[in-house]
Every structure is written in C-alpha cells, then in structure tokens.
Amino acid sequence: MIGRIVNDGFCVGCGLCESIYGSDNCQMKLFSDGFYYPVKKTGFNDKGLKHLCPGIRVNDNRKHGIWGYVEKVEEAWSTDNTLRYMAASGGVSSALALYLLESKKVDGILQTGIMEGSSIYNELKVSHNREDIFNNAQSRYAPSLTLSRIKQVLDSSDEIYAYIGKPCDIAGIRSFLLAYPQYKERIKYTISIFCAGMPSYNATQKVYEQSGKTEEPISIKYRGEGWPGNFKAVWKDGTKFETSYNDSWGEVLGRNLGFRCKICPDGIGMLADIAVGDSWNTKNGYPDFTEADGRNFCFLRSQNGLQLFNDALKAGYIECRELDAEKVKYMQAYQYDRRHMVPWRVLAANVFSGFLLHFRGLGLLNLMLKSNKKRGMKELYGTVKRFIKNKYSMYIIIKTGGGIR
C-alpha cells in the first residue's frame, strides 16, 4: 500500500504511517526532490493504511457547497497588534490558540514549527504558552512531518489538545481518531488554514539562492511582519535577503508543488471546526497584495468551531465583522477556480491509479456537473500526462535508492 501511494504521487509527507506503525517498520525520509516519503521495511503488512492515509482518503458526510459545509462566515483579526503583525495574516488561528490555552480549555496546541537546530526544516510542535504560540505563528511553506509522532505525543501524557494544520493534516487527524477512538477526546478542536499546496524544500532553496549565497541561512521567514509580508533570509555573516510574497510564492514556491497537491480535493479545510485564510483586499476582481493590516476570513464549520469563535470574541482575543461568503471567491480566486476543476483531475488520477483514491462527501460530482466541460476535459487530459510523468520521476527517485538526502 505504501509503495502504491508513493509511486502514484499521492503521499502528502505527513508521517502518519510512521507514527502508527513505528519507525522500525516505516520511516519518513527526505528525498532529493525536497519532499518526505515513507520507507517501508520489507515484508511489513501495511494494508490498513488505505483507511488512514490522508493522501488517498478524505471523507465527510455533510452537505457541501462551493466552500464546503459552513455554519457562518466572519472576517476577523487578532486584537493583539504584535501578534497580528507577526503572523502570516490576521493572526486569528494563533489568537484562538492563545485563548484556548489561557482559558484552560486545552493543555497544548499541536502545530507546525521550525525543527530544533534548523532554520529551514519543520516538525510537529506542542505549544504550551504565549511564547510558544508567537514562535510558531508564521506560515512555513515547506514540508513538515506534522503527524509523524502524533500517537507518541498522545501516549506520553493525558493532555488535551487543539490541532492547527493544513487540510490534509486535518483529514489525517480525522482518520486517526476514527481508527483509534481512545484518543477521540484528546484533540478537542481542529483549525485549518486554506492551502494552495505544499512546496518542496528545494523551492525554498531556490528562493534564498537568489541572494547569490548557497549555504543554508540561520533564519528564514516566508511571511509575516506585515500583510502579506516578505520572504526574509539571514546568514551568519549578517547578510540579509528579502523578496516580496508575490515573487517568492507566485514565482517560485507555488510552482514547485507535489503531484498530490495538484489534485487536492480539499484546499479549504472542509473537515476542520474552523478554516481560516487571507481576507485579501481585491483589485479588478483579483487579490491585491499591497501591504496592509492583516485580516482573516473564517469559515465556522461546526457548532464546536462556532462556540470557540464566539467565546474568543467575547473574551477579547479577536475582533470581527460579518462577511458575505460571495466575496470570498474574489479574495480566493484560485481556490474558487480549483474547486470547480479538481474533480476532473481527481477522476483522471483515480482511474490511472486503479481507483486508489477514496474522496467522498466533498461535493466533487456536483461541482464537476456545474463546471465548464470543455475546460474540464483539458484538465483531465493534462492530469493524465502529469500522472505518467510523475510516476516515472518517482520511479527514478525511489526505486534507484539514490534519492535519499
């Protein structure tokens, strides 16, 4: 099963398989293409992964519109101006995390942060206080082993957590809790960011090498310190490099995504209690990346999420104003378009993988029927070509054994 998932390009690099089966049987490795993949022990039985892997399984049972199931839509931002400035956008997910910790509703926040001893690599962090939240408040546009030790963290204490991550991470958490119901009450809240895809570590390297330096910086910030904020790198000798969000994400990072991201059925956090994204100002019907005070739009997707949002608002951690969901399609034009086209991509990938994908209850068929059929067929054909090309590339990277960094 692991071989099929990896070879067909469906691995999201989360590491859930390593956490469940143990690193002696399945270990995540960073390969030459800048992504993590699992390396499985020969003879190990991994058939059960088909019910757990978020790369191939994303399911829901609620009625979905273009933006998924939504109880309410709000535009919000952190009332802490320092956090709002430091965070990737309005700082809402970090503000909610602070509220949960300081109100004692949870003991810790599970989220992505910089790996100890590195400036570039990411890992799962457990935040317990304000300082931790601030340290992990910014976006990390690179792979992260977000679930590689989730079971071990839960087994190491009796703490109650909230989880903040990408939509595919939330899907992994959902599948994990269904398979291991003894942990169900241990992760009380899930908050998802809107995600346009996960760039490889090689993409990060391409950005900072624009400075003319090839060695790894001692500090990298992808965004923040403004909205959207610039990509910033600093080296030991004091050299600094900075480039705009549009140039870093738009020209490099966003063009170096794995195959699974290109067929992602959920970039909008449909399975989370709350999903947040950039509430961009718009210009001529498209997002405007001119620097401003950060704002998030928030899709409140469950009663649990709605209650959390209202409690944090009442406690003064966030401010908000009601937002017409219709406006989000201009703020997030890419996500709006992708929701209509991704069913065609999923169809192509599913057929050519022998129907390995299990994406259910996400409104994909309805969106396909409403989409432009001529363009949809082009997307389908393009995905077939990408699937074949990617499968050959994965064969070279994985099967030759020379890809591990």
Side-chain angles (χ1 to χ4, degrees), residues 93-113:
S93 59
S94 297
L96 293 175
L98 272 177
Y99 167 72
L100 287 171
L101 285 176
E102 295 180 349
S103 63
K104 308 297 183 184
K105 292 183 181 295
V106 301
D107 302 301
I109 306 295
L110 303 172
Q111 59 184 148
T112 296

Side-chain angles (χ1 to χ4, degrees), residues 168-188:
C168 55
D169 300 329
I170 305 298
I173 287 288
R174 283 275 295 265
S175 294
F176 173 75
L177 294 179
L178 284 173
Y180 296 87
Q182 64 267 36
Y183 301 114
K184 187 177 180 180
E185 299 304 317
R186 301 285 306 285
I187 300 180
K188 290 284 192 180

Side-chain angles (χ1 to χ4, degrees), residues 80 330 345:
D80 186 319
Y330 303 110
R345 302 175 192 174

Side-chain angles (χ1 to χ4, degrees), residues 8 10 259 262-263 341-353 376-392:
D8 286 347
F10 298 148
F259 177 75
K262 297 181 186 299
I263 64 160
M341 289 297 110
V342 80
W344 297 93
R345 302 175 192 174
V346 169
L347 175 62
N350 212 13
V351 170
F352 273 75
S353 67
M377 290 301 296
K378 289 182 179 179
E379 292 284 341
L380 188 148
Y381 177 63
T383 300
V384 171
K385 291 198 296 183
R386 283 192 293 271
F387 181 89
I388 295 170
K389 181 180 179 180
N390 183 75
K391 188 146 187 168
Y392 177 74

